[in-house]
Amino acid sequence: SKRIVIKVGTSTIMYPNGAINLQQMEKLSFVLSDLKNQGKEIILVSSGAIGVGLARMNLTERPVTIPEQQAIASIGQTELMSLYSKFFYNYGHQVGQVLLTKDVTDFPVSRQNTVNTFEQLLLKHVIPIVNENDTVSVEELDHLTRFGDNDTLSAIVLELTDADLLIMLSDIDGFYDKNPMNYTDASRFDTISEINDTILSLAQDSSTKFGTGGMITKLNAAQIVLGAQKQMILANGEDLSILFRILSGEKIGTLFS
Ligand code: ADP
């Protein structure tokens, strides 16, 4: 696979104490830059704007009102991109910010404009870094304009860029028959070829403070990916060199294919 979308959750780039994990951000930029050097086309979907914004404003908890959260996301998104821009630059690569709303799936013109932007960025060997546009659409209120989670967003980005593979990095080694954070006897699926009601019933919420969708939104994403005849791999992002191993063909995590 030549064109790859990589999605990282907040837990991959933030410490549990709410501070930015610079080591992980630098490592991510290094690994993706090297994959780029190998000739792969890379698109990064990164969460973390609110987390980084809170850290930047010395806050320990999300503010209560939605406009305040939007402001934090705005501050955090700038800081997040500033960090990525510096790290990627150090490894010889340029990034471009792409902020999306559901418009891209609802309106053909918005969709085409987005496709055009991605194509031009990739043509110029720039690494697009994608997030939801929190200024235009907000959580809870706006189911019409908002994807609501970056798992679903990353599957849409896979479609828009006609990439071959979505690698979703989380704090868990794959998809299990029950939540491994709560059950020690949970066992991991190597491959899933269809998302049916039985599979959906095994997915639970996130058990971490940072996590948003848990396994449910990841299966939603997998459903979109499988519907588009493409592949998704869910793996643990704790050690980011896992990306090298996945792309050299090692069987790691859960493959949705
Ligand atoms: P991220 O922030 O990386 O997107 P989430 O915390 O939202 O990650 O989702 C991953 C979490 O989903 C796991 O840490 C685990 O607690 C939970 N989970 C629920 N059900 C399952 C399952 N069947 N298999 C694996 N993980 C599950």
Side-chain angles (χ1 to χ4, degrees):
S1 44
K2 199 178 172 285
R3 190 172 282 191
I4 304 145
V5 178
I6 288 126
K7 186 258 169 182
V8 293
T10 305
S11 61
T12 305
I13 55 166
M14 301 289 292
Y15 287 112
N17 70 5
I20 302 166
N21 189 334
L22 292 171
Q23 219 177 137
Q24 281 286 88
M25 283 197 78
E26 160 119 63
K27 184 87 181 279
L28 180 63
S29 308
F30 158 71
V31 173
L32 296 184
S33 293
D34 196 71
L35 291 171
K36 184 96 184 128
N37 288 351
Q38 291 175 24
K40 302 213 159 35
E41 290 180 317
I42 302 292
I43 298 121
L44 174 62
V45 178
S46 177
S47 305
I50 297 222
V52 172
L54 291 175
R56 194 67 180 177
M57 299 302 279
N58 289 312
L59 297 171
T60 48
E61 268 165 66
R62 275 182 183 232
V64 185
T65 72
I66 287 173
E68 282 176 294
Q69 290 179 21
Q70 287 175 282
I72 295 297
S74 163
I75 295 160
Q77 180 65 24
T78 310
E79 182 64 12
L80 190 67
M81 286 308 295
S82 167
L83 287 167
Y84 276 129
S85 180
K86 275 181 263 188
F87 286 134
F88 275 101
Y89 182 84
N90 286 345
Y91 294 110
H93 292 283
Q94 180 63 47
V95 300
Q97 173 179 258
V98 178
L99 297 179
L100 301 179
T101 67
K102 237 182 173 176
D103 277 10
V104 297
T105 53
D106 293 348
F107 302 108
V109 174
S110 304
R111 182 193 175 91
Q112 191 58 49
N113 289 337
T114 309
V115 168
N116 294 347
T117 306
F118 276 123
E119 276 312 313
Q120 276 306 313
L121 288 170
L122 293 169
L123 208 64
K124 296 181 187 338
H125 296 287
V126 172
I127 297 168
I129 302 184
V130 188
N131 199 0
E132 183 128 45
N133 188 335
D134 289 321
T135 303
V136 179
S137 56
V138 297
E139 239 170 317
E140 284 117 18
L141 297 181
D142 255 334
H143 298 294
L144 288 177
T145 59
R146 200 181 151 83
F147 295 108
D149 64 272
N150 275 354
D151 293 333
T152 308
L153 176 62
S154 61
I156 300 295
V157 168
L158 183 82
E159 275 191 323
L160 291 170
T161 58
D162 196 24
D164 314 287
L165 173 67
L166 168 60
I167 303 179
M168 202 173 275
L169 297 176
S170 185
D171 61 351
I172 203 87
D173 290 336
F175 176 57
Y176 288 73
D177 60 355
K178 49 193 144 186
N179 189 346
M181 300 288 189
N182 303 337
Y183 299 90
T184 48
D185 63 339
S187 72
R188 184 173 53 78
F189 292 96
D190 288 328
T191 312
I192 299 275
S193 54
E194 189 200 350
I195 311 293
N196 51 38
D197 288 347
T198 316
I199 295 295
L200 285 169
S201 72
L202 306 176
Q204 287 163 10
D205 263 336
S206 167
S207 40
T208 65
K209 173 177 138 204
F210 273 132
T212 42
M215 231 7 83
I216 299 156
T217 53
K218 286 173 183 59
L219 292 188
N220 286 343
Q223 210 152 17
I224 296 171
V225 171
L226 291 178
Q229 315 282 347
K230 293 173 184 294
Q231 293 188 323
M232 171 175 134
I233 293 173
L234 175 65
N236 198 326
E238 193 181 314
D239 177 2
L240 289 161
S241 60
I242 197 168
L243 289 169
F244 291 133
R245 293 165 54 206
I246 289 171
L247 291 170
S248 66
E250 233 181 279
K251 302 267 168 288
I252 309 172
T254 300
L255 169 69
F256 296 84
S257 179

